[in-house]
Amino acid sequence: MKGTDMQVAIVLYPGFTSLDVIGPYEVLGRLPDTEVVFVAEEPGLVVNDLKSLSINVVATFDDVAEPDVVLVGGGPGQVRQMSSERLLEWLRTVDRTSKWTTAVCTGTFLLAAAGLLEGRRATTHWGALDGLADFGVTPSKERVVIDGHYATGAGVSAGIDMALTLAGLIAGDDVAQAVQLIIEYAPEPPYSAGSVDSAPAAVVERAWKEMSA
């Protein structure tokens, strides 16, 4: 890491959800003296879940041995990755030296499948939250959960909140707030349907159908 003090490794795999990783990338990539690298099992283009956006990954797991921060996003492709022993073993290995091991949305299940979250609290997308208990994890409905050196964010957009929380812990509140201002993260959504508790029942039902399709 020439000229940098911190390396952030963001894991990609086919079928990842874009905002899970791009939101944290925008935040963490703006921290001083920080290098962000996308990493995957094999180099090349990795296509997202909507099959309309791809990221060209240069670094493989073998190339990134001791990142300071590890981040795993979620997406439909995460299910297949839970049986990827190469990914799970890499997560176990880098976790031994990382300052922070983190996940957004259903990426939390990859940390859980690697055995890293057993006995800890964590969060994930509301539609999958209860499933964390199958891995010995205590599910939390909080948008961001910090437990030890593990940080998890709830669904998709919560990755920005998690990354800003992490930025404050790493670089201080002033730096984190400056990043927040630079990206103008001041959400004022036109609807109040951003959580199961606030969304109308019909909207929740429609969301379940679309996620199950």
PDB file of all heavy atoms in Angstrom, residues 21 41 44 47 51-52 57 60 65 79 85-86 89 96 102 134 143 152 161 173 177 189 209:
ATOM      1  N   VAL A  21     -22.346  -2.275  -1.837  1.00  0.00           N
ATOM      2  CA  VAL A  21     -20.901  -2.049  -1.846  1.00  0.00           C
ATOM      3  C   VAL A  21     -20.523  -0.642  -2.311  1.00  0.00           C
ATOM      4  O   VAL A  21     -19.528  -0.082  -1.836  1.00  0.00           O
ATOM      5  CB  VAL A  21     -20.183  -3.102  -2.722  1.00  0.00           C
ATOM      6  CG1 VAL A  21     -20.343  -4.482  -2.125  1.00  0.00           C
ATOM      7  CG2 VAL A  21     -20.697  -3.098  -4.156  1.00  0.00           C
ATOM      8  N   GLU A  41     -12.867 -13.878  -6.268  1.00  0.00           N
ATOM      9  CA  GLU A  41     -12.172 -15.158  -6.398  1.00  0.00           C
ATOM     10  C   GLU A  41     -11.311 -15.195  -7.655  1.00  0.00           C
ATOM     11  O   GLU A  41     -10.205 -15.725  -7.646  1.00  0.00           O
ATOM     12  CB  GLU A  41     -13.188 -16.303  -6.426  1.00  0.00           C
ATOM     13  CG  GLU A  41     -12.556 -17.672  -6.417  1.00  0.00           C
ATOM     14  CD  GLU A  41     -13.561 -18.786  -6.188  1.00  0.00           C
ATOM     15  OE1 GLU A  41     -14.686 -18.494  -5.719  1.00  0.00           O
ATOM     16  OE2 GLU A  41     -13.220 -19.946  -6.481  1.00  0.00           O
ATOM     17  N   GLY A  44     -11.543 -10.056 -13.318  1.00  0.00           N
ATOM     18  CA  GLY A  44     -12.437  -9.857 -14.454  1.00  0.00           C
ATOM     19  C   GLY A  44     -13.705  -9.130 -14.064  1.00  0.00           C
ATOM     20  O   GLY A  44     -13.850  -8.661 -12.924  1.00  0.00           O
ATOM     21  N   VAL A  47     -20.658  -9.178 -12.468  1.00  0.00           N
ATOM     22  CA  VAL A  47     -21.949  -8.578 -12.820  1.00  0.00           C
ATOM     23  C   VAL A  47     -22.882  -8.589 -11.622  1.00  0.00           C
ATOM     24  O   VAL A  47     -22.940  -9.560 -10.867  1.00  0.00           O
ATOM     25  CB  VAL A  47     -22.599  -9.339 -14.000  1.00  0.00           C
ATOM     26  CG1 VAL A  47     -23.917  -8.690 -14.404  1.00  0.00           C
ATOM     27  CG2 VAL A  47     -21.642  -9.378 -15.183  1.00  0.00           C
ATOM     28  N   LYS A  51     -27.998  -7.529 -13.463  1.00  0.00           N
ATOM     29  CA  LYS A  51     -27.333  -7.901 -14.711  1.00  0.00           C
ATOM     30  C   LYS A  51     -27.157  -6.724 -15.663  1.00  0.00           C
ATOM     31  O   LYS A  51     -27.150  -6.885 -16.899  1.00  0.00           O
ATOM     32  CB  LYS A  51     -28.091  -9.040 -15.404  1.00  0.00           C
ATOM     33  CG  LYS A  51     -28.156 -10.325 -14.586  1.00  0.00           C
ATOM     34  CD  LYS A  51     -28.868 -11.424 -15.329  1.00  0.00           C
ATOM     35  CE  LYS A  51     -28.889 -12.766 -14.628  1.00  0.00           C
ATOM     36  NZ  LYS A  51     -28.585 -12.824 -13.227  1.00  0.00           N
ATOM     37  N   SER A  52     -27.021  -5.528 -15.098  1.00  0.00           N
ATOM     38  CA  SER A  52     -26.871  -4.344 -15.934  1.00  0.00           C
ATOM     39  C   SER A  52     -25.684  -3.480 -15.522  1.00  0.00           C
ATOM     40  O   SER A  52     -25.427  -2.444 -16.128  1.00  0.00           O
ATOM     41  CB  SER A  52     -28.151  -3.500 -15.876  1.00  0.00           C
ATOM     42  OG  SER A  52     -28.465  -3.170 -14.539  1.00  0.00           O
ATOM     43  N   VAL A  57     -12.791  -6.361 -11.603  1.00  0.00           N
ATOM     44  CA  VAL A  57     -11.982  -6.669 -10.421  1.00  0.00           C
ATOM     45  C   VAL A  57     -10.601  -7.138 -10.863  1.00  0.00           C
ATOM     46  O   VAL A  57     -10.477  -8.055 -11.680  1.00  0.00           O
ATOM     47  CB  VAL A  57     -12.665  -7.745  -9.562  1.00  0.00           C
ATOM     48  CG1 VAL A  57     -11.787  -8.120  -8.384  1.00  0.00           C
ATOM     49  CG2 VAL A  57     -14.022  -7.243  -9.080  1.00  0.00           C
ATOM     50  N   THR A  60      -7.358 -10.590  -6.640  1.00  0.00           N
ATOM     51  CA  THR A  60      -7.965 -11.832  -6.182  1.00  0.00           C
ATOM     52  C   THR A  60      -7.702 -11.992  -4.689  1.00  0.00           C
ATOM     53  O   THR A  60      -6.959 -11.221  -4.080  1.00  0.00           O
ATOM     54  CB  THR A  60      -7.381 -13.041  -6.920  1.00  0.00           C
ATOM     55  OG1 THR A  60      -5.998 -13.210  -6.524  1.00  0.00           O
ATOM     56  CG2 THR A  60      -7.454 -12.855  -8.422  1.00  0.00           C
ATOM     57  N   ALA A  65      -3.928  -9.977   1.302  1.00  0.00           N
ATOM     58  CA  ALA A  65      -3.679 -10.890   2.415  1.00  0.00           C
ATOM     59  C   ALA A  65      -4.006 -10.312   3.779  1.00  0.00           C
ATOM     60  O   ALA A  65      -4.433 -11.038   4.685  1.00  0.00           O
ATOM     61  CB  ALA A  65      -2.221 -11.348   2.395  1.00  0.00           C
ATOM     62  N   VAL A  79     -26.240 -16.490  -1.816  1.00  0.00           N
ATOM     63  CA  VAL A  79     -26.643 -17.856  -1.453  1.00  0.00           C
ATOM     64  C   VAL A  79     -25.618 -18.863  -1.969  1.00  0.00           C
ATOM     65  O   VAL A  79     -25.170 -19.757  -1.239  1.00  0.00           O
ATOM     66  CB  VAL A  79     -28.049 -18.175  -2.000  1.00  0.00           C
ATOM     67  CG1 VAL A  79     -28.411 -19.620  -1.696  1.00  0.00           C
ATOM     68  CG2 VAL A  79     -29.080 -17.230  -1.383  1.00  0.00           C
ATOM     69  N   GLU A  85     -15.945 -22.476  -0.226  1.00  0.00           N
ATOM     70  CA  GLU A  85     -14.970 -22.622   0.854  1.00  0.00           C
ATOM     71  C   GLU A  85     -13.777 -21.694   0.665  1.00  0.00           C
ATOM     72  O   GLU A  85     -13.183 -21.255   1.637  1.00  0.00           O
ATOM     73  CB  GLU A  85     -14.492 -24.076   0.943  1.00  0.00           C
ATOM     74  CG  GLU A  85     -13.661 -24.380   2.184  1.00  0.00           C
ATOM     75  CD  GLU A  85     -14.345 -23.977   3.493  1.00  0.00           C
ATOM     76  OE1 GLU A  85     -15.578 -24.151   3.601  1.00  0.00           O
ATOM     77  OE2 GLU A  85     -13.640 -23.484   4.407  1.00  0.00           O
ATOM     78  N   ARG A  86     -13.466 -21.379  -0.582  1.00  0.00           N
ATOM     79  CA  ARG A  86     -12.345 -20.455  -0.817  1.00  0.00           C
ATOM     80  C   ARG A  86     -12.641 -19.075  -0.243  1.00  0.00           C
ATOM     81  O   ARG A  86     -11.794 -18.468   0.403  1.00  0.00           O
ATOM     82  CB  ARG A  86     -12.050 -20.355  -2.315  1.00  0.00           C
ATOM     83  CG  ARG A  86     -10.790 -19.554  -2.610  1.00  0.00           C
ATOM     84  CD  ARG A  86     -10.448 -19.553  -4.077  1.00  0.00           C
ATOM     85  NE  ARG A  86      -9.277 -18.743  -4.340  1.00  0.00           N
ATOM     86  CZ  ARG A  86      -8.892 -18.353  -5.545  1.00  0.00           C
ATOM     87  NH1 ARG A  86      -9.593 -18.725  -6.606  1.00  0.00           N
ATOM     88  NH2 ARG A  86      -7.827 -17.601  -5.708  1.00  0.00           N
ATOM     89  N   GLU A  89     -12.869 -19.358   3.703  1.00  0.00           N
ATOM     90  CA  GLU A  89     -11.551 -19.498   4.320  1.00  0.00           C
ATOM     91  C   GLU A  89     -10.779 -18.189   4.245  1.00  0.00           C
ATOM     92  O   GLU A  89     -10.058 -17.826   5.184  1.00  0.00           O
ATOM     93  CB  GLU A  89     -10.761 -20.625   3.645  1.00  0.00           C
ATOM     94  CG  GLU A  89      -9.415 -20.912   4.295  1.00  0.00           C
ATOM     95  CD  GLU A  89      -9.511 -21.219   5.777  1.00  0.00           C
ATOM     96  OE1 GLU A  89     -10.504 -21.863   6.214  1.00  0.00           O
ATOM     97  OE2 GLU A  89      -8.593 -20.792   6.526  1.00  0.00           O
ATOM     98  N   ARG A  96      -8.366 -12.534  11.057  1.00  0.00           N
ATOM     99  CA  ARG A  96      -7.401 -12.667  12.156  1.00  0.00           C
ATOM    100  C   ARG A  96      -6.575 -11.405  12.341  1.00  0.00           C
ATOM    101  O   ARG A  96      -6.076 -11.130  13.432  1.00  0.00           O
ATOM    102  CB  ARG A  96      -6.477 -13.863  11.905  1.00  0.00           C
ATOM    103  CG  ARG A  96      -7.197 -15.206  11.860  1.00  0.00           C
ATOM    104  CD  ARG A  96      -6.213 -16.361  11.724  1.00  0.00           C
ATOM    105  NE  ARG A  96      -6.920 -17.601  11.449  1.00  0.00           N
ATOM    106  CZ  ARG A  96      -6.794 -18.327  10.350  1.00  0.00           C
ATOM    107  NH1 ARG A  96      -5.932 -17.935   9.406  1.00  0.00           N
ATOM    108  NH2 ARG A  96      -7.471 -19.444  10.177  1.00  0.00           N
ATOM    109  N   THR A 102     -16.661  -6.407   8.235  1.00  0.00           N
ATOM    110  CA  THR A 102     -17.991  -5.807   8.137  1.00  0.00           C
ATOM    111  C   THR A 102     -18.814  -6.446   7.016  1.00  0.00           C
ATOM    112  O   THR A 102     -18.281  -7.071   6.101  1.00  0.00           O
ATOM    113  CB  THR A 102     -17.885  -4.293   7.872  1.00  0.00           C
ATOM    114  OG1 THR A 102     -17.505  -4.064   6.504  1.00  0.00           O
ATOM    115  CG2 THR A 102     -16.844  -3.649   8.777  1.00  0.00           C
ATOM    116  N   ASP A 134     -29.875 -19.238  12.980  1.00  0.00           N
ATOM    117  CA  ASP A 134     -29.445 -20.578  12.588  1.00  0.00           C
ATOM    118  C   ASP A 134     -27.925 -20.726  12.662  1.00  0.00           C
ATOM    119  O   ASP A 134     -27.409 -21.842  12.684  1.00  0.00           O
ATOM    120  CB  ASP A 134     -29.909 -20.903  11.172  1.00  0.00           C
ATOM    121  CG  ASP A 134     -31.428 -20.985  11.066  1.00  0.00           C
ATOM    122  OD1 ASP A 134     -32.088 -21.196  12.099  1.00  0.00           O
ATOM    123  OD2 ASP A 134     -31.953 -20.826   9.944  1.00  0.00           O
ATOM    124  N   ARG A 143     -30.293  -0.585  12.683  1.00  0.00           N
ATOM    125  CA  ARG A 143     -29.806  -0.316  11.320  1.00  0.00           C
ATOM    126  C   ARG A 143     -28.306  -0.606  11.215  1.00  0.00           C
ATOM    127  O   ARG A 143     -27.840  -1.060  10.169  1.00  0.00           O
ATOM    128  CB  ARG A 143     -30.109   1.142  10.950  1.00  0.00           C
ATOM    129  CG  ARG A 143     -29.908   1.452   9.471  1.00  0.00           C
ATOM    130  CD  ARG A 143     -30.652   2.715   9.100  1.00  0.00           C
ATOM    131  NE  ARG A 143     -30.339   3.183   7.760  1.00  0.00           N
ATOM    132  CZ  ARG A 143     -30.907   2.717   6.649  1.00  0.00           C
ATOM    133  NH1 ARG A 143     -31.808   1.754   6.735  1.00  0.00           N
ATOM    134  NH2 ARG A 143     -30.580   3.201   5.469  1.00  0.00           N
ATOM    135  N   THR A 152     -22.085  -4.579  11.178  1.00  0.00           N
ATOM    136  CA  THR A 152     -23.047  -5.043  10.176  1.00  0.00           C
ATOM    137  C   THR A 152     -24.111  -3.979   9.960  1.00  0.00           C
ATOM    138  O   THR A 152     -24.497  -3.263  10.882  1.00  0.00           O
ATOM    139  CB  THR A 152     -23.714  -6.372  10.593  1.00  0.00           C
ATOM    140  OG1 THR A 152     -24.265  -6.248  11.923  1.00  0.00           O
ATOM    141  CG2 THR A 152     -22.704  -7.505  10.580  1.00  0.00           C
ATOM    142  N   ASP A 161     -24.950   4.154   6.209  1.00  0.00           N
ATOM    143  CA  ASP A 161     -24.947   4.440   7.643  1.00  0.00           C
ATOM    144  C   ASP A 161     -23.834   3.674   8.350  1.00  0.00           C
ATOM    145  O   ASP A 161     -23.141   4.210   9.227  1.00  0.00           O
ATOM    146  CB  ASP A 161     -26.297   4.068   8.258  1.00  0.00           C
ATOM    147  CG  ASP A 161     -27.451   4.853   7.662  1.00  0.00           C
ATOM    148  OD1 ASP A 161     -27.749   4.612   6.480  1.00  0.00           O
ATOM    149  OD2 ASP A 161     -28.033   5.695   8.356  1.00  0.00           O
ATOM    150  N   ASP A 173     -15.046  11.800  14.453  1.00  0.00           N
ATOM    151  CA  ASP A 173     -16.356  12.325  14.072  1.00  0.00           C
ATOM    152  C   ASP A 173     -16.274  13.458  13.051  1.00  0.00           C
ATOM    153  O   ASP A 173     -17.109  13.554  12.145  1.00  0.00           O
ATOM    154  CB  ASP A 173     -17.111  12.818  15.312  1.00  0.00           C
ATOM    155  CG  ASP A 173     -17.476  11.681  16.257  1.00  0.00           C
ATOM    156  OD1 ASP A 173     -17.535  10.523  15.785  1.00  0.00           O
ATOM    157  OD2 ASP A 173     -17.709  11.950  17.452  1.00  0.00           O
ATOM    158  N   GLN A 177     -18.126  13.357   9.491  1.00  0.00           N
ATOM    159  CA  GLN A 177     -19.149  14.353   9.158  1.00  0.00           C
ATOM    160  C   GLN A 177     -18.790  15.119   7.894  1.00  0.00           C
ATOM    161  O   GLN A 177     -19.677  15.488   7.112  1.00  0.00           O
ATOM    162  CB  GLN A 177     -19.341  15.313  10.333  1.00  0.00           C
ATOM    163  CG  GLN A 177     -20.028  14.654  11.522  1.00  0.00           C
ATOM    164  CD  GLN A 177     -20.179  15.598  12.697  1.00  0.00           C
ATOM    165  OE1 GLN A 177     -21.128  16.373  12.768  1.00  0.00           O
ATOM    166  NE2 GLN A 177     -19.239  15.531  13.629  1.00  0.00           N
ATOM    167  N   PRO A 189     -36.634  10.890   2.254  1.00  0.00           N
ATOM    168  CA  PRO A 189     -37.375  10.087   1.281  1.00  0.00           C
ATOM    169  C   PRO A 189     -38.806  10.579   1.099  1.00  0.00           C
ATOM    170  O   PRO A 189     -39.417  11.104   2.034  1.00  0.00           O
ATOM    171  CB  PRO A 189     -37.349   8.685   1.894  1.00  0.00           C
ATOM    172  CG  PRO A 189     -37.115   8.902   3.357  1.00  0.00           C
ATOM    173  CD  PRO A 189     -36.262  10.122   3.458  1.00  0.00           C
ATOM    174  N   LYS A 209     -43.444 -10.523  -2.280  1.00  0.00           N
ATOM    175  CA  LYS A 209     -43.677 -11.213  -3.551  1.00  0.00           C
ATOM    176  C   LYS A 209     -42.555 -10.949  -4.544  1.00  0.00           C
ATOM    177  O   LYS A 209     -42.086 -11.854  -5.234  1.00  0.00           O
ATOM    178  CB  LYS A 209     -45.027 -10.774  -4.144  1.00  0.00           C
ATOM    179  CG  LYS A 209     -46.235 -11.333  -3.407  1.00  0.00           C
ATOM    180  CD  LYS A 209     -47.526 -10.861  -4.057  1.00  0.00           C
ATOM    181  CE  LYS A 209     -48.755 -11.418  -3.321  1.00  0.00           C
ATOM    182  NZ  LYS A 209     -50.014 -10.929  -3.927  1.00  0.00           N
TER     183      LYS A 209
END
